[in-house]
Each structure stands twice: as structure tokens, then as C-alpha cells.
Amino acid sequence: MSVRSEPLLRAARPARRTTALGVWLDRQSVFSWLMMAPPLLFLAALVGYPFCYGILLSLQDRPVAHTGTFIGLKNFATNFNDPIFWRVALNTFVYTAVATLLKMVGGLALALAMNQQFPLKNLMRALMLLPFIVPTVLSTVAWMWILDPAFSVLNWLLVAVGVPKPGPSWLGNPMLAMLSIIMINAWRGLPFYGITLLAGLQTVPPELYEAATIDGASGWQRFRYVTLPLLQPIILIVTLFSVIFTFADFQLVYVLTHGGPQNATQLFATYAFDIAMGAGQLGLGASVALAMLPALALLIVALTIYLRRE
Amino acid sequence: MVTGYGPVERLVRLWLPVGFFLVLALFPFYWMAITSLKPNFELYSRRAMPLIVHNPTLKHYIDLLTETSFLTWTWNTMLVAVVSTAISLILGVMLAYPLARMRFAGAGLIAMTVAAIYLVPQPLLFIPLADLINRLGLGNTLTAVILTYPTMLVPFCAWLLLGYFKTVPMELEEAARIDGASRLQTMRRIFLPLCTPGFVSAGIFAFTLSQNEFLYALIFLTKSAVRTVPVGVIAELIRGDVFYWGQLMAGALLGSIPVAIIYSFFVEHYVAGLTSGSVKG
């Protein structure tokens, strides 16, 4: 094999590959598609196919372990006339909106607090991320015990500061149950926001703050007119991510409340699970899951386009 | 940027908020730990001060390890996480390398599709997947989850690696091509060894994601011998209305430790992976 100096790539190619097959395999498009074929086939089989099959299922009356019968849009009509379905839709939107807002505000506060010089900063950052690392189900078990109807440590603390005994029934009262799942979701997602925004804060050039200070900007003005505009793209991306995964949340609610009391915390994912796995109505369950699609598709397309533009 | 504040202002600006977030983040784990060490009479006592352990005992741990299949669940969880992470890294590289380095028609479309698939949440797919797994006869096998976890991990790894690959300079690969290496040789021998930090980031992330997975495991694994830790703990330590709180907490704590240890070794890589998707550009 010879080494030529110019013109680099094009000149080298004929010397390198002698067989026709070798030359063909070395073409960029051939190499790329051959390389990508296995993962793409895998994704087509286990994401693409189930996705299409799910749409087909939603158009069927399909009890588990039976063959399905095509019933058109009847499942969607059933959902449309089901008051629980609308309750679920409302729950999901409230849950997503409030939890995301909490994570955004809390995460920003966390990032600003952590963006100062102090000893053991890296250790603190590592510890702060723990809620996000530990498997959700396992930390939710701890929360379930913290909010236990009879032995809640939170109520023990509340009673100690003067709240009348026995304290609120966190998971038994519909409003409080919704509040509980929102708080725990925010607790788990907050570090993700905080650490990502912290990384963003660290890319803000200090000269900008110095210039703003020289121009007489107050601390709030520096935050409002320097920090926030520079963080805006990151906030947008993190929020879209968070909205998508909060909207489709399953495990936290399944473990903590099972959707109760009286469907007060039932979300699309848990309701679809109950119908499909609990009641064995695969078709109806698939139609409930697909009801998430319009909102999700909008979010996914928005985020994908935004990521591509970068 | 914050310098020259007095001690009071430093307390208000720094230690109060940092302390608040730290207590908030860690309290549930503290609670998990002390609950797992309390004997039942103390656990269900309304008089004992609950914030500390008065009569520590390892009984719940012993019961958990001897009376339940917790060790089997741990082994299953590890096996599934390691294998599906490995599969996802390999398939992820096969997607990311051409997208990062080659010019071909359709590259943009594939990149968008991969990003979109990463964002498709499991609840949209679990019902048809459950039916598919049943038809394939894979119910109650670890293969079922080893096959399905990569559906979320492959797009994720590909996306993270794509970002990393673009930061690696191309000179070495160009030199290898000039020396006559084929594209496959260039990728395997020259390029991939340069990308270890990217693999570590993606690998840690994929590993924690598979440890965290619950929905597929709950549906596909209904026998104790094949369960993973999250499903085993929920399904077998809560029987009807009876909660085995001591064992639940011991299980939750032991189940969190492997992830926490691995995470503690690679915090910087983890944070790099976490922030790479959103902070770049």
C-alpha cells in the first residue's frame, strides 16, 4: 500500500481497495446503511411494529387470550362517553402542568444556589442528584411510608408544630393525593433540572455580569436580563423533556396510589394499564393509551425539530 | 462571581437554600435507612420519637434475605441491566457512527427518527408489546425484558454518542484512510478507542435507566424467580393490605445501593451525559 500526500482522500482510494466488493463496501452510503441496518431493523420490530399494532388493537374488541373483532372507532366512542376518561385527562394535564412548573422554579433555585463557591461543592452536587438516580419505585416506597395514614412522619412533624391530630390523610383525600404525587414527581425530577441548568449557568461568561454591574444593574436585573435570556434555550429543552415523561408517568402513581382514591390520581398510563392488564380489555386499553398520542406527538415533534436545529 | 459577602448574607444566599435542597433530597433515604433498622414494636409505636432508632436490629435484612427471593431479584436486575446496556451500546454505536461521520441521503431523516423514538414513552407501547411477547412465548423470561429495554436505550445511547462523536477530531481517521484502512477498520481500530468517555457516560446512563425500569418488568415477569428488584419488592412485600414496612425499606435500600455505588464512581461522566443533550450549542 502506498502513501500519497495529495490530493489526500480521493487519490488514496484506488490504491487501497483492490476488489470490486471492497470498493463497493467502502462507499459512504453502502457502509452507512449496512452499519445501521441491524439497529434500524431492531427498532422497526420492537417499536415500529408494536406502535402500528397498537393502533390496530385500538380498533378492536380484544379480550385477553381471545382473537379480536374489528369494531372501528367504538373504543374511542366508549372513552368519549366515559366520565372517568375525562377525569383521567384532566388529572394528567394538572399533574403535568403543576409538577413541571414546580420542577422549573425549584430547579432554577437549586441551580442558582449551587452556582456559588463553597467547600465540598462536588460532593453536594452528587448527593443532590440521588433522587434522580435511585430507581423510582424504591424511593416511592419510602415516600409511601412517609405519608402513611397511621404512622406518617410528616404528620408527626405537623402535629409537633400544632396541626390538630391526626393530621391530613395524604393518600386518602383526593386533593391531597394529587398534591402528593405532584410533590414526589417534582422531588425526583428537580435534580435533573437543577444540575442541567447549573451546567448552563456555568457557561455564562463572567464578563457579562461585570459589564451589567458596571452599568448599574441590580442583582435581580442581572438575573432577569443576563441569566434568564442565556438560559432560555436550556430551560425550553429540559421542560419539553420533562413534560413528555411526566405526561406519560406510570410507576410513581401505580406504586403510591394505584390511581385512587376514586380515580383522583388516575393518569392515562395507569388507566390504560388497569383496563388492559386488570380488566383484560386490550383493545380498549390501547385506545386509552393512544389518547395520549396527539399531545405527545406535538411535544415530540417540537422537541425533535428543536434538537435538530442545534 | 459571588465574593465579598458578609457571613449573614452568605448564610441566607448560600447555606439556607443549599441546606434546604440537601435535606429535601436526602430525607427519604435517611427515613428508608432508619425504618429498616427499627424493630416492629418501635415501627408501629405512636409514642416513640420516630426520627431516630431506639433499638436497632438487622432482623428485617435477615428476613428479607432468607424469606424472600431478594438475592435472585438482585441477580436478575444486574443481569438484565448489564446485558441490555451492552446491547444498547453496540447498536447505538452502529447508528451513531454513520450519522456522525458519513454523508449519505436520508441521514437527517434517520437522526430525527432516532430522536423521536427516544421520546416515545413506554405507556404508549406496553399493551401491544405485551401481546407480542406472549405470542413469542417469552412471558416470564428475562429475555422479554432484555429485548424490550433496548427499545428505549438504543435511541438514547445513539443520541448521546452522536453528540460525543461529533466532538472527536477527524484527523486520525483521515490519516488511517490515507494509509489504506477500510471504513470498518478505521471505525473499530482508530475511532472507537478514542471514545471511551462517551461510552462510559452512555453506559452509566443506560444502566441506571434499566435499573429504574418498572412497567415492562411488571407486565412480563410475574413469577418470583424471574422478577427484578422493583417488581419483586412491590409484588411480594405488599400482600393485599399488609405492608412489610421493615423489609420493604431494607429492600428499597439494598436495591438502591448498586446504582448508587456505580454512580458515585462515575458522577462526572453521569453529569456530562445528563447535560450534553441540552447544554451544547
Side-chain angles (χ1 to χ4, degrees):
Chain A
M1 282 180 228
S2 66
V3 177
R4 298 192 198 173
S5 54
E6 57 170 322
L8 291 171
L9 279 170
R10 206 168 302 156
R13 189 168 289 162
R16 184 175 52 240
R17 294 275 118 198
T18 42
T19 65
L21 181 68
V23 173
W24 185 74
L25 282 176
D26 242 27
R27 283 166 59 178
Q28 295 205 29
S29 59
V30 175
F31 171 81
S32 300
W33 287 108
L34 281 179
M35 183 61 85
M36 293 189 311
L40 288 179
L41 286 174
F42 174 82
L43 290 175
L46 287 172
V47 179
Y49 168 72
F51 181 75
C52 299
Y53 182 52
I55 295 177
L56 191 70
L57 267 180
S58 75
L59 303 174
Q60 292 181 354
D61 175 26
R62 170 77 159 77
V64 75
H66 289 74
T67 46
T69 37
F70 184 81
I71 53 166
L73 294 173
K74 237 181 207 161
N75 286 328
F76 292 95
T78 308
N79 291 334
F80 193 84
N81 295 315
D82 172 12
I84 300 177
F85 177 84
W86 292 108
R87 178 77 204 251
V88 166
L90 181 68
N91 287 345
T92 311
F93 281 102
V94 169
Y95 177 68
T96 308
V98 181
T100 305
L101 199 70
L102 270 176
K103 282 182 268 192
M104 193 192 298
V105 175
L108 196 55
L110 173 60
L112 288 171
M114 293 290 288
N115 194 29
Q116 308 178 56
Q117 298 305 324
F118 56 94
L120 300 177
K121 189 171 165 180
N122 282 345
L123 176 69
M124 298 273 193
R125 189 182 62 174
L127 290 174
M128 297 266 190
L129 261 172
L130 270 181
F132 193 67
I133 308 296
V134 168
T136 311
V137 166
L138 303 182
S139 56
T140 304
V141 167
W143 278 105
M144 199 159 42
W145 179 231
I146 291 175
L147 302 174
D148 186 80
F151 301 99
S152 160
V153 64
L154 187 60
N155 283 359
W156 182 85
L157 287 169
L158 288 176
V159 168
V161 297
V163 173
K165 276 189 178 181
S169 164
W170 293 102
L171 303 178
N173 173 304
M175 285 284 282
L176 290 179
M178 179 53 103
L179 183 71
S180 301
I181 60 168
I182 287 174
M183 296 306 264
I184 298 170
N185 176 280
W187 171 80
R188 188 178 187 275
L190 198 119
F192 170 61
Y193 260 92
I195 301 305
T196 312
L197 294 182
L198 177 62
L201 279 178
Q202 284 163 349
T203 64
V204 177
E207 301 86 53
L208 288 182
Y209 290 116
E210 286 160 17
T213 311
I214 291 167
D215 288 346
S218 67
W220 163 252
Q221 283 171 327
R222 284 199 300 269
F223 173 71
R224 172 69 187 78
Y225 297 105
V226 179
T227 313
L228 263 192
L230 287 169
L231 279 187
Q232 199 199 332
I234 302 173
I235 296 181
L236 185 73
I237 291 183
V238 178
T239 303
L240 279 170
F241 263 112
S242 162
V243 166
I244 290 171
F245 289 104
T246 311
F247 189 78
D249 200 6
F250 173 81
Q251 30 181 314
L252 168 59
V253 175
Y254 178 84
V255 172
L256 200 69
T257 64
H258 267 281
Q262 297 109 47
N263 295 311
T265 55
Q266 198 74 271
L267 306 181
F268 277 124
T270 52
Y271 193 46
F273 179 90
D274 275 0
I275 293 177
M277 302 297 142
Q281 294 291 334
L282 293 187
L284 191 60
S287 75
V288 171
L290 273 180
M292 287 192 283
L293 190 61
L296 274 180
L298 219 69
L299 291 164
I300 291 174
V301 169
L303 186 50
T304 314
I305 290 174
Y306 197 85
L307 287 174
R308 278 299 292 169
R309 219 178 53 188
E310 288 205 345
Chain B
M1 122 199 195
V2 179
T3 47
Y5 289 125
V8 176
E9 186 153 14
R10 194 158 162 82
L11 178 76
V12 174
R13 280 178 168 267
L14 175 66
W15 296 115
L16 277 184
V18 169
F20 168 77
F21 282 117
L22 202 63
V23 170
L24 186 71
L26 297 185
F27 181 75
F29 302 113
Y30 171 72
W31 198 236
M32 219 185 243
I34 67 163
T35 305
S36 68
L37 294 172
K38 286 180 185 175
N40 275 339
F41 68 84
E42 190 181 326
L43 213 50
Y44 304 116
S45 151
R46 288 174 187 278
R47 261 172 297 162
M49 211 286 272
L51 290 175
I52 49 167
V53 192
H54 301 276
N55 307 286
T57 168
L58 288 176
K59 184 174 185 310
H60 299 306
Y61 288 90
I62 295 164
D63 289 351
L64 180 75
L65 297 179
T66 54
E67 289 172 14
T68 73
S69 316
F70 188 81
L71 288 176
T72 314
W73 305 336
T74 307
W75 165 250
N76 292 342
T77 312
M78 287 297 151
L79 185 74
V80 168
V82 168
V83 176
S84 45
T85 299
I87 293 176
S88 306
L89 279 177
I90 294 169
L91 292 180
V93 168
M94 294 168 84
L95 271 177
Y97 183 75
L99 291 175
R101 285 294 196 256
M102 302 290 140
R103 293 164 158 272
F104 57 97
L109 186 70
I110 296 288
M112 289 222 4
T113 311
V114 170
I117 292 179
Y118 165 51
L119 297 170
V120 170
Q122 294 158 292
L124 211 54
L125 297 176
F126 75 94
I127 298 170
L129 264 181
D131 200 48
L132 180 66
I133 292 292
N134 272 338
R135 273 189 287 152
L136 291 172
L138 292 173
N140 280 320
T141 63
L142 291 181
T143 315
V145 282
I146 288 174
L147 270 180
T148 45
Y149 286 6
T151 58
M152 44 180 190
L153 302 180
V154 169
F156 171 77
C157 288
W159 194 249
L160 207 153
L161 290 173
L162 178 60
Y164 188 83
F165 288 176
K166 284 182 174 165
T167 66
V168 178
M170 291 176 76
E171 282 78 12
L172 277 174
E173 288 156 86
E174 282 163 4
R177 293 285 294 162
I178 293 164
D179 284 350
S182 74
R183 291 199 187 276
L184 190 63
Q185 287 170 325
T186 311
M187 174 184 154
R188 279 182 43 215
R189 304 243 181 93
I190 309 296
F191 179 74
L192 293 184
L194 293 173
C195 299
T196 317
F199 293 133
V200 176
S201 281
I204 297 299
F205 237 95
F207 184 81
T208 50
L209 281 177
S210 26
Q211 295 258 338
N212 184 40
E213 207 290 328
F214 180 65
L215 180 54
Y216 291 164
L218 178 71
I219 296 171
F220 303 150
L221 311 174
T222 53
K223 289 197 181 123
S224 195
V226 287
R227 279 184 164 139
T228 58
V229 171
V231 179
V233 164
I234 293 300
E236 300 190 29
L237 297 178
I238 302 176
R239 292 173 205 137
D241 282 346
V242 185
F243 290 70
Y244 294 80
W245 282 114
Q247 290 184 41
L248 269 169
M249 293 300 166
L253 197 71
L254 289 184
S256 311
I257 283 175
V259 202
I261 290 177
I262 289 178
Y263 160 73
S264 70
F265 280 119
F266 298 101
V267 183
E268 293 310 317
H269 284 97
Y270 189 88
V271 173
L274 187 72
T275 50
S276 69
S278 38
V279 176
K280 262 180 207 137

